[in-house]
């Protein structure tokens, strides 16, 4: 090639690969993380209403004010934590843009950013494109617990940022209060910024509580929280999210945001603002998805797949080591082509493609789809 690639190791993401394969072979697609059911008609109507009422020109650079106010109210209601809508909340084109801009605003050449593997796939390239160096910590299957002493060892004078993700995609584990307290203690009196990716904050099971970074005042003072309406309200295609941080941090974020997207889809923002006036729109999500998780697991309880029930997110990982010792990418492809069921192999999110013989299945699907998937898994 005539031009040297800035990201020479980046290939098409596994999500595109597996969804493409699922389409080609007409397989049930539990690979990519999106629902196959419609979001609430009321929300769709509110967005249409916003378009018909003239919310069709640029929104304010940090986002529609009513939406920022609704988010601020939500933080107060759920976590007793305050973010000022004027200066501490920004609406973004999905969490992906928020994550990219947080990293771009702070990470310079040779800065180190600690990430936990398996890691969501946008973290690493966003660090690298800014000249930063990802420093990864591999979490061990099947519990994916963080060894905080190990993390402490990885901190150096070059550590600029730590990225956490709870509830965690792809493992479906969550951080406990003790985890967050450890993180707070380790980063106390440092200049390290914490990027807390909380896109699944409303999907936590078995009565557990989401441990948002904003619940820990000292941690909050150096943290960005990133969130996604796509994940929360079943419309990933709208690509709308937000991030929150203390004012001084947010000021730097907005310097990037204003030249990256400037502002985000206005009618969607207005529709979301109206919809969120009723907290029940997001409060029932854990229960809704727990029923889906339980249905999926009850269907495969007698199969040869081993599992620990997901603690949060809408993903369930299944261990197939009793069935075959094939490389997980090969097995995921074979399962799609021969059995008609698409999933995501976890090795692609790991250090050195570590293969623990586990696949990730998305259960944000209609009961009918989950039943069909369960039948396939039972027959294997
Ligand atoms: C952990 C995690 N972070 C961020 C995102 C991106 O969210 P969005 O679609 O709002 O950009 C996803 C989407 O799958 C995710 O799973």
């Amino acid at each position: 090639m005539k031009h040297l690639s800035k990201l020479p190791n980046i290939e098409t993401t596994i999500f595109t690969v597996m969804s493409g394969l699922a389409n080609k072979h007409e397989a049930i697609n539990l690979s990519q993380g999106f629902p196959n059911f419609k979001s609430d008609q009321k929300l769709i109507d509110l967005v249409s209403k916003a378009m018909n009422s003239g919310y069709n020109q640029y929104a304010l650079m940090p986002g529609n004010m009513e939406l920022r106010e609704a988010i601020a109210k939500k933080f107060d209601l759920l976590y007793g934590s305050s973010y000022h809508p004027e200066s501490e909340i920004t609406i973004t084109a999905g969490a992906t843009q928020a994550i990219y801009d947080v990293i771009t605003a702070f990470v310079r050449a040779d800065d180190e950013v600690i990430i936990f593997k398996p890691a969501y796939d946008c973290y690493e390239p966003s660090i690298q494109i800014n000249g930063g160096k990802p420093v990864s910590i591999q979490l061990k299957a099947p519990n994916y617990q963080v060894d905080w002493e190990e993390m402490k060892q990885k901190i150096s004078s070059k550590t600029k940022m730590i990225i956490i993700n709870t509830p965690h995609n792809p493992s479906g584990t969550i951080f406990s209060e003790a985890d967050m307290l450890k993180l707070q203690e380790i980063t106390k009196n440092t200049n390290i910024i914490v990027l807390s990716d909380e896109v699944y904050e409303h999907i936590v099971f078995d009565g557990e509580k989401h441990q948002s970074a904003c619940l820990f005042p000292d941690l909050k003072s150096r943290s960005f929280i990133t969130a996604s309406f796509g994940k929360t309200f079943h419309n990933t295609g709208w690509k709308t999210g937000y991030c929150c941080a203390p004012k001084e941090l947010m000021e730097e974020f907005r310097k990037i945001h204003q030249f990256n997207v400037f502002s985000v889809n206005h009618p969607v923002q207005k529709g979301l603002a109206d919809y969120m006036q009723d907290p029940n729109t997001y409060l029932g999500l854990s229960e809704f998805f727990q029923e889906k998780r339980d249905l999926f697991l009850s269907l495969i309880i007698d199969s040869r797949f081993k599992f620990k029930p997901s603690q949060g997110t809408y993903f369930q990982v299944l261990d197939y080591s009793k069935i075959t010792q094939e490389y997980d990418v090969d097995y995921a492809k074979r399962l799609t082509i021969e059995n008609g069921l698409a999933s995501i192999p976890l090795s692609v999110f790991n250090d050195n493609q570590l293969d623990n013989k586990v696949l990730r299945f998305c259960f944000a699907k209609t009961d009918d789809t989950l039943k069909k998937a369960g039948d396939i898994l039972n027959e294997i």
Side-chain angles (χ1 to χ4, degrees), residues 113-150:
V113 180
I114 294 179
I115 56 175
F116 297 97
K117 296 282 187 88
Y120 184 62
D121 67 346
C122 78
Y123 305 153
E124 217 161 341
S126 306
I127 298 163
Q128 286 162 337
I129 201 86
N130 284 292
K133 186 175 158 223
V135 173
S136 51
I137 295 176
Q138 179 65 54
L139 304 181
K140 291 180 190 64
N143 294 326
Y144 301 95
Q145 294 293 300
V146 175
D147 175 344
W148 293 103
E149 278 312 306
E150 184 187 352

mmCIF file of all heavy atoms in Angstrom, residues 113-150:
data_model
loop_
_atom_site.group_PDB
_atom_site.id
_atom_site.type_symbol
_atom_site.label_atom_id
_atom_site.label_comp_id
_atom_site.label_asym_id
_atom_site.label_seq_id
_atom_site.Cartn_x
_atom_site.Cartn_y
_atom_site.Cartn_z
ATOM 1 N N VAL A 113 -2.183 3.198 29.128
ATOM 2 C CA VAL A 113 -3.589 3.071 29.536
ATOM 3 C C VAL A 113 -3.833 1.618 29.914
ATOM 4 O O VAL A 113 -3.604 0.706 29.109
ATOM 5 C CB VAL A 113 -4.545 3.478 28.390
ATOM 6 C CG1 VAL A 113 -5.996 3.340 28.838
ATOM 7 C CG2 VAL A 113 -4.261 4.910 27.932
ATOM 8 N N ILE A 114 -4.273 1.403 31.143
ATOM 9 C CA ILE A 114 -4.508 0.026 31.612
ATOM 10 C C ILE A 114 -5.906 -0.418 31.190
ATOM 11 O O ILE A 114 -6.893 0.296 31.408
ATOM 12 C CB ILE A 114 -4.338 -0.054 33.147
ATOM 13 C CG1 ILE A 114 -2.861 0.227 33.500
ATOM 14 C CG2 ILE A 114 -4.778 -1.418 33.672
ATOM 15 C CD1 ILE A 114 -2.541 0.212 34.976
ATOM 16 N N ILE A 115 -5.960 -1.584 30.567
ATOM 17 C CA ILE A 115 -7.260 -2.156 30.195
ATOM 18 C C ILE A 115 -7.312 -3.610 30.678
ATOM 19 O O ILE A 115 -6.275 -4.251 30.837
ATOM 20 C CB ILE A 115 -7.531 -2.103 28.669
ATOM 21 C CG1 ILE A 115 -6.419 -2.796 27.883
ATOM 22 C CG2 ILE A 115 -7.679 -0.676 28.179
ATOM 23 C CD1 ILE A 115 -6.698 -2.882 26.384
ATOM 24 N N PHE A 116 -8.505 -4.081 30.914
ATOM 25 C CA PHE A 116 -8.684 -5.464 31.364
ATOM 26 C C PHE A 116 -9.182 -6.310 30.204
ATOM 27 O O PHE A 116 -10.155 -5.952 29.545
ATOM 28 C CB PHE A 116 -9.684 -5.516 32.525
ATOM 29 C CG PHE A 116 -9.218 -4.764 33.735
ATOM 30 C CD1 PHE A 116 -9.634 -3.458 33.979
ATOM 31 C CD2 PHE A 116 -8.326 -5.351 34.612
ATOM 32 C CE1 PHE A 116 -9.181 -2.753 35.072
ATOM 33 C CE2 PHE A 116 -7.856 -4.651 35.717
ATOM 34 C CZ PHE A 116 -8.292 -3.350 35.947
ATOM 35 N N LYS A 117 -8.510 -7.439 29.985
ATOM 36 C CA LYS A 117 -8.918 -8.342 28.909
ATOM 37 C C LYS A 117 -9.724 -9.501 29.489
ATOM 38 O O LYS A 117 -9.358 -9.972 30.562
ATOM 39 C CB LYS A 117 -7.683 -8.885 28.183
ATOM 40 C CG LYS A 117 -6.856 -7.831 27.473
ATOM 41 C CD LYS A 117 -7.519 -7.441 26.186
ATOM 42 C CE LYS A 117 -6.668 -6.532 25.343
ATOM 43 N NZ LYS A 117 -5.757 -7.204 24.428
ATOM 44 N N PRO A 118 -10.753 -10.019 28.866
ATOM 45 C CA PRO A 118 -11.235 -9.602 27.566
ATOM 46 C C PRO A 118 -11.817 -8.182 27.606
ATOM 47 O O PRO A 118 -12.548 -7.846 28.530
ATOM 48 C CB PRO A 118 -12.325 -10.632 27.243
ATOM 49 C CG PRO A 118 -12.759 -11.187 28.574
ATOM 50 C CD PRO A 118 -11.580 -11.120 29.460
ATOM 51 N N ALA A 119 -11.455 -7.381 26.563
ATOM 52 C CA ALA A 119 -11.881 -5.985 26.549
ATOM 53 C C ALA A 119 -12.733 -5.690 25.327
ATOM 54 O O ALA A 119 -12.469 -6.216 24.239
ATOM 55 C CB ALA A 119 -10.656 -5.072 26.518
ATOM 56 N N TYR A 120 -13.726 -4.846 25.497
ATOM 57 C CA TYR A 120 -14.541 -4.379 24.375
ATOM 58 C C TYR A 120 -13.597 -3.814 23.304
ATOM 59 O O TYR A 120 -12.600 -3.177 23.628
ATOM 60 C CB TYR A 120 -15.547 -3.326 24.851
ATOM 61 C CG TYR A 120 -16.473 -2.877 23.751
ATOM 62 C CD1 TYR A 120 -17.321 -3.785 23.138
ATOM 63 C CD2 TYR A 120 -16.473 -1.561 23.306
ATOM 64 C CE1 TYR A 120 -18.155 -3.383 22.095
ATOM 65 C CE2 TYR A 120 -17.301 -1.159 22.276
ATOM 66 C CZ TYR A 120 -18.137 -2.080 21.675
ATOM 67 O OH TYR A 120 -18.955 -1.688 20.644
ATOM 68 N N ASP A 121 -13.938 -4.027 22.065
ATOM 69 C CA ASP A 121 -12.918 -3.862 21.020
ATOM 70 C C ASP A 121 -12.534 -2.435 20.642
ATOM 71 O O ASP A 121 -11.559 -2.238 19.941
ATOM 72 C CB ASP A 121 -13.308 -4.661 19.768
ATOM 73 C CG ASP A 121 -14.556 -4.112 19.085
ATOM 74 O OD1 ASP A 121 -15.263 -3.294 19.714
ATOM 75 O OD2 ASP A 121 -14.826 -4.508 17.940
ATOM 76 N N CYS A 122 -13.257 -1.413 21.102
ATOM 77 C CA CYS A 122 -12.872 -0.058 20.661
ATOM 78 C C CYS A 122 -11.805 0.584 21.544
ATOM 79 O O CYS A 122 -11.241 1.610 21.172
ATOM 80 C CB CYS A 122 -14.101 0.851 20.541
ATOM 81 S SG CYS A 122 -14.728 1.485 22.093
ATOM 82 N N TYR A 123 -11.517 0.000 22.704
ATOM 83 C CA TYR A 123 -10.569 0.677 23.608
ATOM 84 C C TYR A 123 -9.164 0.748 23.007
ATOM 85 O O TYR A 123 -8.553 1.815 22.943
ATOM 86 C CB TYR A 123 -10.474 -0.037 24.961
ATOM 87 C CG TYR A 123 -11.769 -0.259 25.710
ATOM 88 C CD1 TYR A 123 -11.904 -1.329 26.595
ATOM 89 C CD2 TYR A 123 -12.855 0.587 25.559
ATOM 90 C CE1 TYR A 123 -13.082 -1.552 27.300
ATOM 91 C CE2 TYR A 123 -14.038 0.375 26.252
ATOM 92 C CZ TYR A 123 -14.143 -0.706 27.127
ATOM 93 O OH TYR A 123 -15.301 -0.930 27.820
ATOM 94 N N GLU A 124 -8.666 -0.408 22.605
ATOM 95 C CA GLU A 124 -7.267 -0.504 22.204
ATOM 96 C C GLU A 124 -6.921 0.381 20.992
ATOM 97 O O GLU A 124 -5.972 1.169 21.065
ATOM 98 C CB GLU A 124 -6.921 -1.971 21.939
ATOM 99 C CG GLU A 124 -5.539 -2.308 22.386
ATOM 100 C CD GLU A 124 -5.337 -3.807 22.575
ATOM 101 O OE1 GLU A 124 -6.324 -4.569 22.718
ATOM 102 O OE2 GLU A 124 -4.173 -4.201 22.576
ATOM 103 N N PRO A 125 -7.678 0.302 19.888
ATOM 104 C CA PRO A 125 -7.325 1.170 18.752
ATOM 105 C C PRO A 125 -7.451 2.660 19.072
ATOM 106 O O PRO A 125 -6.681 3.468 18.553
ATOM 107 C CB PRO A 125 -8.320 0.767 17.655
ATOM 108 C CG PRO A 125 -9.266 -0.192 18.241
ATOM 109 C CD PRO A 125 -8.745 -0.656 19.545
ATOM 110 N N SER A 126 -8.388 3.018 19.948
ATOM 111 C CA SER A 126 -8.531 4.441 20.301
ATOM 112 C C SER A 126 -7.303 4.925 21.064
ATOM 113 O O SER A 126 -6.886 6.084 20.928
ATOM 114 C CB SER A 126 -9.785 4.675 21.154
ATOM 115 O OG SER A 126 -10.913 4.156 20.522
ATOM 116 N N ILE A 127 -6.727 4.044 21.850
ATOM 117 C CA ILE A 127 -5.493 4.406 22.570
ATOM 118 C C ILE A 127 -4.338 4.521 21.574
ATOM 119 O O ILE A 127 -3.594 5.507 21.555
ATOM 120 C CB ILE A 127 -5.162 3.312 23.629
ATOM 121 C CG1 ILE A 127 -6.276 3.214 24.673
ATOM 122 C CG2 ILE A 127 -3.810 3.580 24.288
ATOM 123 C CD1 ILE A 127 -6.255 1.928 25.502
ATOM 124 N N GLN A 128 -4.247 3.522 20.690
ATOM 125 C CA GLN A 128 -3.108 3.469 19.764
ATOM 126 C C GLN A 128 -3.105 4.619 18.761
ATOM 127 O O GLN A 128 -2.053 5.173 18.452
ATOM 128 C CB GLN A 128 -3.117 2.128 19.021
ATOM 129 C CG GLN A 128 -2.675 0.998 19.941
ATOM 130 C CD GLN A 128 -3.071 -0.378 19.407
ATOM 131 O OE1 GLN A 128 -4.010 -0.500 18.617
ATOM 132 N NE2 GLN A 128 -2.375 -1.413 19.861
ATOM 133 N N ILE A 129 -4.283 5.004 18.292
ATOM 134 C CA ILE A 129 -4.339 6.075 17.287
ATOM 135 C C ILE A 129 -3.835 7.386 17.884
ATOM 136 O O ILE A 129 -3.379 8.281 17.189
ATOM 137 C CB ILE A 129 -5.785 6.224 16.722
ATOM 138 C CG1 ILE A 129 -5.779 6.918 15.367
ATOM 139 C CG2 ILE A 129 -6.711 6.980 17.645
ATOM 140 C CD1 ILE A 129 -5.572 6.017 14.223
ATOM 141 N N ASN A 130 -3.891 7.480 19.213
ATOM 142 C CA ASN A 130 -3.390 8.671 19.898
ATOM 143 C C ASN A 130 -1.938 8.523 20.356
ATOM 144 O O ASN A 130 -1.439 9.343 21.114
ATOM 145 C CB ASN A 130 -4.296 8.987 21.099
ATOM 146 C CG ASN A 130 -5.605 9.620 20.647
ATOM 147 O OD1 ASN A 130 -5.604 10.745 20.159
ATOM 148 N ND2 ASN A 130 -6.700 8.889 20.767
ATOM 149 N N GLY A 131 -1.305 7.446 19.927
ATOM 150 C CA GLY A 131 0.106 7.240 20.278
ATOM 151 C C GLY A 131 0.301 6.616 21.650
ATOM 152 O O GLY A 131 1.427 6.452 22.116
ATOM 153 N N GLY A 132 -0.800 6.297 22.311
ATOM 154 C CA GLY A 132 -0.704 5.700 23.648
ATOM 155 C C GLY A 132 -0.403 4.217 23.585
ATOM 156 O O GLY A 132 -0.436 3.606 22.515
ATOM 157 N N LYS A 133 -0.111 3.674 24.774
ATOM 158 C CA LYS A 133 0.252 2.260 24.824
ATOM 159 C C LYS A 133 -0.738 1.513 25.734
ATOM 160 O O LYS A 133 -0.790 1.784 26.939
ATOM 161 C CB LYS A 133 1.673 2.160 25.395
ATOM 162 C CG LYS A 133 2.230 0.775 25.366
ATOM 163 C CD LYS A 133 3.687 0.764 25.820
ATOM 164 C CE LYS A 133 4.022 -0.645 26.288
ATOM 165 N NZ LYS A 133 4.781 -0.710 27.510
ATOM 166 N N PRO A 134 -1.512 0.582 25.164
ATOM 167 C CA PRO A 134 -2.399 -0.202 26.025
ATOM 168 C C PRO A 134 -1.571 -1.149 26.899
ATOM 169 O O PRO A 134 -0.670 -1.819 26.394
ATOM 170 C CB PRO A 134 -3.256 -1.007 25.034
ATOM 171 C CG PRO A 134 -2.967 -0.445 23.681
ATOM 172 C CD PRO A 134 -1.632 0.227 23.750
ATOM 173 N N VAL A 135 -1.855 -1.158 28.179
ATOM 174 C CA VAL A 135 -1.193 -2.103 29.087
ATOM 175 C C VAL A 135 -2.302 -3.020 29.574
ATOM 176 O O VAL A 135 -3.196 -2.588 30.301
ATOM 177 C CB VAL A 135 -0.548 -1.352 30.277
ATOM 178 C CG1 VAL A 135 -0.009 -2.327 31.310
ATOM 179 C CG2 VAL A 135 0.544 -0.420 29.779
ATOM 180 N N SER A 136 -2.265 -4.269 29.126
ATOM 181 C CA SER A 136 -3.436 -5.086 29.444
ATOM 182 C C SER A 136 -3.213 -6.036 30.597
ATOM 183 O O SER A 136 -2.093 -6.492 30.858
ATOM 184 C CB SER A 136 -3.939 -5.813 28.202
ATOM 185 O OG SER A 136 -2.892 -6.477 27.592
ATOM 186 N N ILE A 137 -4.308 -6.310 31.265
ATOM 187 C CA ILE A 137 -4.323 -7.274 32.368
ATOM 188 C C ILE A 137 -5.332 -8.337 31.975
ATOM 189 O O ILE A 137 -6.505 -8.024 31.736
ATOM 190 C CB ILE A 137 -4.734 -6.583 33.680
ATOM 191 C CG1 ILE A 137 -3.679 -5.553 34.062
ATOM 192 C CG2 ILE A 137 -4.951 -7.606 34.793
ATOM 193 C CD1 ILE A 137 -4.003 -4.736 35.284
ATOM 194 N N GLN A 138 -4.853 -9.554 31.859
ATOM 195 C CA GLN A 138 -5.742 -10.628 31.415
ATOM 196 C C GLN A 138 -6.529 -11.184 32.612
ATOM 197 O O GLN A 138 -5.948 -11.639 33.593
ATOM 198 C CB GLN A 138 -4.905 -11.744 30.766
ATOM 199 C CG GLN A 138 -5.706 -12.939 30.284
ATOM 200 C CD GLN A 138 -6.674 -12.587 29.149
ATOM 201 O OE1 GLN A 138 -6.276 -12.032 28.129
ATOM 202 N NE2 GLN A 138 -7.952 -12.918 29.330
ATOM 203 N N LEU A 139 -7.852 -11.135 32.532
ATOM 204 C CA LEU A 139 -8.685 -11.726 33.585
ATOM 205 C C LEU A 139 -8.874 -13.205 33.267
ATOM 206 O O LEU A 139 -8.933 -13.603 32.103
ATOM 207 C CB LEU A 139 -10.045 -11.019 33.646
ATOM 208 C CG LEU A 139 -9.988 -9.502 33.837
ATOM 209 C CD1 LEU A 139 -11.400 -8.924 33.913
ATOM 210 C CD2 LEU A 139 -9.206 -9.129 35.101
ATOM 211 N N LYS A 140 -8.990 -13.996 34.341
ATOM 212 C CA LYS A 140 -9.025 -15.445 34.126
ATOM 213 C C LYS A 140 -10.446 -15.996 34.135
ATOM 214 O O LYS A 140 -11.231 -15.710 35.038
ATOM 215 C CB LYS A 140 -8.201 -16.143 35.216
ATOM 216 C CG LYS A 140 -6.723 -15.871 35.054
ATOM 217 C CD LYS A 140 -5.889 -16.549 36.126
ATOM 218 C CE LYS A 140 -4.443 -16.065 36.072
ATOM 219 N NZ LYS A 140 -4.281 -14.631 36.359
ATOM 220 N N ALA A 141 -10.736 -16.816 33.126
ATOM 221 C CA ALA A 141 -12.020 -17.516 33.082
ATOM 222 C C ALA A 141 -12.029 -18.546 34.215
ATOM 223 O O ALA A 141 -10.971 -19.039 34.594
ATOM 224 C CB ALA A 141 -12.161 -18.210 31.735
ATOM 225 N N PRO A 142 -13.164 -18.918 34.807
ATOM 226 C CA PRO A 142 -14.490 -18.456 34.428
ATOM 227 C C PRO A 142 -14.994 -17.271 35.257
ATOM 228 O O PRO A 142 -16.089 -16.790 35.000
ATOM 229 C CB PRO A 142 -15.353 -19.693 34.718
ATOM 230 C CG PRO A 142 -14.709 -20.310 35.924
ATOM 231 C CD PRO A 142 -13.227 -20.035 35.789
ATOM 232 N N ASN A 143 -14.181 -16.798 36.250
ATOM 233 C CA ASN A 143 -14.722 -15.757 37.133
ATOM 234 C C ASN A 143 -14.397 -14.328 36.694
ATOM 235 O O ASN A 143 -15.069 -13.391 37.090
ATOM 236 C CB ASN A 143 -14.210 -15.960 38.565
ATOM 237 C CG ASN A 143 -14.758 -17.245 39.150
ATOM 238 O OD1 ASN A 143 -15.885 -17.631 38.846
ATOM 239 N ND2 ASN A 143 -13.954 -17.937 39.953
ATOM 240 N N TYR A 144 -13.345 -14.166 35.932
ATOM 241 C CA TYR A 144 -12.954 -12.861 35.382
ATOM 242 C C TYR A 144 -12.819 -11.797 36.488
ATOM 243 O O TYR A 144 -13.186 -10.641 36.305
ATOM 244 C CB TYR A 144 -13.958 -12.393 34.309
ATOM 245 C CG TYR A 144 -14.070 -13.376 33.158
ATOM 246 C CD1 TYR A 144 -15.074 -14.345 33.147
ATOM 247 C CD2 TYR A 144 -13.174 -13.364 32.089
ATOM 248 C CE1 TYR A 144 -15.183 -15.266 32.108
ATOM 249 C CE2 TYR A 144 -13.274 -14.279 31.051
ATOM 250 C CZ TYR A 144 -14.284 -15.212 31.057
ATOM 251 O OH TYR A 144 -14.387 -16.127 30.037
ATOM 252 N N GLN A 145 -12.286 -12.228 37.647
ATOM 253 C CA GLN A 145 -12.098 -11.282 38.752
ATOM 254 C C GLN A 145 -10.803 -10.508 38.572
ATOM 255 O O GLN A 145 -9.806 -11.059 38.096
ATOM 256 C CB GLN A 145 -11.984 -12.065 40.077
ATOM 257 C CG GLN A 145 -13.253 -12.790 40.485
ATOM 258 C CD GLN A 145 -14.356 -11.810 40.848
ATOM 259 O OE1 GLN A 145 -14.210 -11.019 41.757
ATOM 260 N NE2 GLN A 145 -15.452 -11.859 40.111
ATOM 261 N N VAL A 146 -10.804 -9.252 39.000
ATOM 262 C CA VAL A 146 -9.578 -8.453 38.911
ATOM 263 C C VAL A 146 -8.710 -8.746 40.130
ATOM 264 O O VAL A 146 -9.186 -8.742 41.263
ATOM 265 C CB VAL A 146 -9.903 -6.944 38.878
ATOM 266 C CG1 VAL A 146 -8.619 -6.126 38.901
ATOM 267 C CG2 VAL A 146 -10.731 -6.598 37.650
ATOM 268 N N ASP A 147 -7.426 -8.994 39.870
ATOM 269 C CA ASP A 147 -6.455 -9.094 40.954
ATOM 270 C C ASP A 147 -5.887 -7.682 41.106
ATOM 271 O O ASP A 147 -5.056 -7.229 40.314
ATOM 272 C CB ASP A 147 -5.367 -10.106 40.558
ATOM 273 C CG ASP A 147 -4.253 -10.173 41.588
ATOM 274 O OD1 ASP A 147 -4.157 -9.257 42.420
ATOM 275 O OD2 ASP A 147 -3.476 -11.144 41.542
ATOM 276 N N TRP A 148 -6.370 -6.964 42.125
ATOM 277 C CA TRP A 148 -6.015 -5.540 42.243
ATOM 278 C C TRP A 148 -4.545 -5.335 42.566
ATOM 279 O O TRP A 148 -3.968 -4.292 42.248
ATOM 280 C CB TRP A 148 -6.928 -4.842 43.265
ATOM 281 C CG TRP A 148 -8.332 -4.793 42.751
ATOM 282 C CD1 TRP A 148 -9.383 -5.580 43.134
ATOM 283 C CD2 TRP A 148 -8.830 -3.950 41.685
ATOM 284 N NE1 TRP A 148 -10.505 -5.271 42.389
ATOM 285 C CE2 TRP A 148 -10.194 -4.278 41.494
ATOM 286 C CE3 TRP A 148 -8.267 -2.959 40.886
ATOM 287 C CZ2 TRP A 148 -10.997 -3.645 40.530
ATOM 288 C CZ3 TRP A 148 -9.057 -2.329 39.938
ATOM 289 C CH2 TRP A 148 -10.404 -2.665 39.762
ATOM 290 N N GLU A 149 -3.921 -6.353 43.206
ATOM 291 C CA GLU A 149 -2.479 -6.241 43.458
ATOM 292 C C GLU A 149 -1.721 -6.248 42.137
ATOM 293 O O GLU A 149 -0.772 -5.494 41.934
ATOM 294 C CB GLU A 149 -1.997 -7.403 44.358
ATOM 295 C CG GLU A 149 -2.242 -7.170 45.832
ATOM 296 C CD GLU A 149 -1.794 -5.776 46.297
ATOM 297 O OE1 GLU A 149 -0.634 -5.415 46.075
ATOM 298 O OE2 GLU A 149 -2.630 -5.022 46.872
ATOM 299 N N GLU A 150 -2.185 -7.121 41.219
ATOM 300 C CA GLU A 150 -1.565 -7.186 39.891
ATOM 301 C C GLU A 150 -1.707 -5.837 39.192
ATOM 302 O O GLU A 150 -0.769 -5.331 38.576
ATOM 303 C CB GLU A 150 -2.234 -8.305 39.067
ATOM 304 C CG GLU A 150 -1.590 -8.511 37.707
ATOM 305 C CD GLU A 150 -2.374 -9.499 36.825
ATOM 306 O OE1 GLU A 150 -3.334 -10.132 37.322
ATOM 307 O OE2 GLU A 150 -2.017 -9.601 35.633
#
